[in-house]
Amino acid sequence: GAVVSQHPSWVICKSGTSVKIECRSLDFQATTMFWYRQFPKQSLMLMATSNEGSKATYEQGVEKDKFLINHASLTLSTLTVTSAHPEDSSFYICSARDYGQGAEETQYFGPGTRLLVL
Amino acid sequence: GENVEQHPSTLSVQEGDSAVIKCTYSDSASNYFPWYKQELGKRPQLIIDIRSNVGEKKDQRIAVTLNKTAKHFSLHITETQPEDSAVYFCAANGYYKLSFGAGTTVTVRA
């Protein structure tokens, strides 16, 4: 149980284009999902918290108009990187909480999306 | 907010020896402390977690200890094997999110 998928696994795009990344909880409902960014040899940096049916909560320093988050259902959250630039190249990972397990704090991670902006 | 510090940043051990990673946290209200293992290019995998009503938890070769008074917790890996080589992250829950340590790169030498 508690499987999280992410799509695509990697993407290469041109500077100025937008990229959408999907995060799905496959066998549980996730009212809360998290989006992280991880640069090489660094820790996970939380970008935003995605809540089903409401606006996402962004961490300080993260541009909400650049990183659009939509959590339209209990199993799907999307992150759109708008007008991507080379400095946005990174490993983007989502996670989801499985409230059904009774351990509401536990987060399960998706496999990540490697974004390269040329 | 919660601040988690993790040490050491790198750890090299001989196969069969033990590895210990230590973390401290700042928010006394934190009550959930997971440990994740991340292999190169892959997702972080939850390997063990502990809640504040427990001082120690063990799962085969992995154990975690928690000292709430001192606000620190540790991961212990015994009888290390080459497949234990990875980056390990500790974390502590804050208001609604996890705060992660900087990570420890563990290398197990054959």
Side-chain angles (χ1 to χ4, degrees), chain A residues 67-94:
Chain A
F67 298 99
L68 302 179
I69 291 173
N70 184 278
H71 194 155
S73 77
L74 287 172
T75 60
L76 173 64
S77 176
T78 61
L79 167 69
T80 301
V81 183
T82 62
S83 186
H85 291 285
E87 57 265 30
D88 298 323
S89 299
S90 187
F91 190 47
Y92 292 86
I93 314 176
C94 70

Side-chain angles (χ1 to χ4, degrees), chain B residues 11-79:
Chain B
L11 181 59
S12 179
V13 296
Q14 189 69 37
E15 183 177 357
D17 288 349
S18 296
V20 180
I21 304 171
K22 299 182 178 182
C23 289
T24 61
Y25 62 98
S26 61
D27 189 350
S28 57
S30 293
N31 58 4
Y32 174 65
F33 308 91
W35 286 87
Y36 288 87
K37 174 183 179 182
Q38 186 178 30
E39 297 178 0
L40 187 63
K42 298 191 175 180
R43 78 181 85 195
Q45 296 268 19
L46 178 69
I47 56 172
I48 196 168
D49 56 14
I50 190 167
R51 289 176 170 77
S52 59
N53 58 344
V54 176
E56 183 174 354
K57 184 177 178 181
K58 190 174 181 179
D59 182 5
Q60 299 184 338
R61 297 186 296 107
I62 295 173
V64 57
T65 59
L66 171 64
N67 183 327
K68 282 222 75 178
T69 303
K71 290 191 280 189
H72 66 69
F73 55 113
S74 301
L75 178 72
H76 303 252
I77 307 173
T78 59
E79 301 173 27

Side-chain angles (χ1 to χ4, degrees), chain A residues 38 43 59 97 107 109-110, chain B residues 36 38 43 96-97 101:
Chain A
Q38 186 177 35
S43 188
E59 295 299 299
R97 280 181 177 160
Q107 290 187 29
F109 285 87
Chain B
Y36 288 87
Q38 186 178 30
R43 78 181 85 195
Y96 59 87
K97 59 187 180 182

Side-chain angles (χ1 to χ4, degrees), chain A residues 42-55:
Chain A
Q42 293 189 22
S43 188
L44 298 153
M45 186 191 80
L46 180 65
M47 299 175 66
T49 302
S50 170
N51 299 294
E52 187 268 337
S54 65
K55 290 183 179 180

Side-chain angles (χ1 to χ4, degrees), chain A:
Chain A
V3 178
V4 178
S5 71
Q6 209 171 319
H7 179 81
S9 57
W10 60 270
V11 58
I12 301 174
C13 69
K14 293 182 179 179
S15 185
T17 60
S18 295
V19 175
K20 179 185 282 189
I21 303 170
E22 293 186 348
C23 178
R24 294 181 185 272
S25 55
L26 297 185
D27 52 359
F28 65 100
Q29 294 183 331
T31 55
T32 304
M33 291 184 175
F34 301 87
W35 286 96
Y36 295 85
R37 183 165 52 182
Q38 186 177 35
F39 292 106
K41 298 185 184 296
Q42 293 189 22
S43 188
L44 298 153
M45 186 191 80
L46 180 65
M47 299 175 66
T49 302
S50 170
N51 299 294
E52 187 268 337
S54 65
K55 290 183 179 180
T57 302
Y58 290 83
E59 295 299 299
Q60 190 173 5
V62 178
E63 299 175 57
K64 62 180 181 180
D65 294 330
K66 180 171 182 62
F67 298 99
L68 302 179
I69 291 173
N70 184 278
H71 194 155
S73 77
L74 287 172
T75 60
L76 173 64
S77 176
T78 61
L79 167 69
T80 301
V81 183
T82 62
S83 186
H85 291 285
E87 57 265 30
D88 298 323
S89 299
S90 187
F91 190 47
Y92 292 86
I93 314 176
C94 70
S95 72
R97 280 181 177 160
D98 182 4
Y99 284 88
Q101 293 283 331
E104 61 272 13
E105 308 93 341
T106 303
Q107 290 187 29
Y108 296 94
F109 285 87
T113 296
R114 197 162 299 281
L115 171 64
L116 177 61
V117 184
L118 301 177

